[in-house]
Amino acid sequence: MSGSNLELWKATYDAETQDQLNDAYKLWCTDYDRDCVQGMGYVGPMTACRMLDTYLESPESRVLDAGCGTGLVGQVLSKHGYGRVDAMDISKDMLQVAKEKDVYNKFFQADMSEPLEVLNDDTYDASICVGTFTYKHVGPEAFNELIRVTKPGGYVCFTIRDGAYQEYGYRKRMHELEADNQWELLEMAKQDYLIKEGVTAKFCVYRVGNC
């Protein structure tokens, strides 16, 4: 990764506002895939999609890729045969790159830190969120909205970067939602995330409750 792009990567973790985060991704979006996958060994999308695929009954399942970025998750799901995947991200520039991959049906620009008013209740058979629950991005409050837009009995699959997992209250909120029968933990594993950087993450799959 070039020095300037390394600074952009760091800027996404140092952003204090959503505008600063958007500005960093606007400058980085065209080089993001190369820098992450080739430069840092980003394997989060492949691992998470494999996990979700073991639970979904059919490639006809309707899936929301929340925090889709440039569409790396959508590409992997497409290779698994999924053709009913919608994309959502806060960055219009990242969404534009995702559109060029031609693996999504619908596109939504929305902030996962806020209520997702663009999406109806019980719309998706599964939601997947990779790379978004991390430093200075989206906090645990977004779990509620992923549950809301996913059908009862459907699945919510996500990653949480180690470090942020311990510091940002994700596990506390996960436990609260479990205690409230909003969802049931099916699988949680610590796996490689950015191999070349030595970074790991928690990979989780929950089943949405009937509350």
Side-chain angles (χ1 to χ4, degrees), residues 153-185:
Y155 303 97
V156 180
C157 176
F158 56 89
T159 64
I160 306 175
R161 178 169 166 166
D162 278 327
Y165 175 81
Q166 290 80 1
E167 296 175 25
Y168 279 65
Y170 292 110
R171 187 57 181 149
K172 179 176 182 292
R173 186 59 185 147
M174 290 156 67
H175 276 305
E176 291 172 348
L177 291 167
E178 289 174 54
D180 197 33
N181 296 316
Q182 295 294 311
W183 62 9
E184 173 191 5
L185 180 62

Side-chain angles (χ1 to χ4, degrees), residues 41 53 60 105-106 155 204 210:
D53 184 52
E60 293 300 314
N105 290 336
K106 296 180 181 179
Y155 303 97
C204 306
N210 293 306

Side-chain angles (χ1 to χ4, degrees), residues 12-87:
T12 67
Y13 290 108
D14 293 336
E16 296 295 335
T17 67
Q18 291 294 348
D19 285 342
Q20 290 176 355
L21 189 62
N22 277 334
D23 288 344
Y25 278 122
K26 180 177 182 178
L27 293 172
W28 193 23
C29 63
T30 55
D31 294 333
Y32 179 90
D33 289 4
R34 182 194 64 199
D35 289 345
C36 287
V37 177
Q38 299 176 24
M40 292 184 282
Y42 184 37
V43 294
M46 287 73 78
T47 302
C49 289
R50 283 198 304 268
M51 288 178 66
L52 180 60
D53 184 52
T54 64
Y55 292 97
L56 287 173
E57 294 181 359
S58 167
E60 293 300 314
S61 299
R62 190 174 181 192
V63 180
L64 173 68
D65 182 4
C68 69
T70 59
L72 292 172
V73 165
Q75 279 188 306
V76 178
L77 287 174
S78 179
K79 291 178 181 177
H80 281 281
Y82 292 89
R84 302 178 67 203
V85 183
D86 293 346

Side-chain angles (χ1 to χ4, degrees), residues 67-204:
C68 69
T70 59
L72 292 172
V73 165
Q75 279 188 306
V76 178
L77 287 174
S78 179
K79 291 178 181 177
H80 281 281
Y82 292 89
R84 302 178 67 203
V85 183
D86 293 346
M88 182 181 68
D89 201 88
I90 190 172
S91 169
K92 66 178 182 180
D93 300 285
M94 298 289 268
L95 278 171
Q96 183 56 48
V97 176
K99 286 181 181 179
E100 295 169 2
K101 289 184 167 62
D102 196 27
V103 293
Y104 295 106
N105 290 336
K106 296 180 181 179
F107 297 85
F108 303 97
Q109 185 180 359
D111 182 354
M112 289 181 61
S113 298
E114 304 290 339
L116 301 176
E117 297 178 353
V118 295
L119 299 175
N120 294 326
D121 295 358
D122 305 338
T123 298
Y124 294 97
D125 300 297
S127 300
I128 185 168
C129 184
V130 179
T132 301
F133 295 124
T134 185
Y135 298 102
K136 303 294 181 71
H137 280 61
V138 176
E141 68 279 356
F143 291 147
N144 297 68
E145 285 296 272
L146 294 182
I147 291 170
R148 180 184 66 80
V149 303
T150 304
K151 298 174 183 178
Y155 303 97
V156 180
C157 176
F158 56 89
T159 64
I160 306 175
R161 178 169 166 166
D162 278 327
Y165 175 81
Q166 290 80 1
E167 296 175 25
Y168 279 65
Y170 292 110
R171 187 57 181 149
K172 179 176 182 292
R173 186 59 185 147
M174 290 156 67
H175 276 305
E176 291 172 348
L177 291 167
E178 289 174 54
D180 197 33
N181 296 316
Q182 295 294 311
W183 62 9
E184 173 191 5
L185 180 62
L186 300 179
E187 184 175 357
M188 181 165 66
K190 181 178 179 179
Q191 302 278 5
D192 288 332
Y193 184 70
L194 297 169
I195 292 177
K196 295 181 181 180
E197 302 297 317
V199 174
T200 58
K202 298 293 189 298
F203 289 74
C204 306

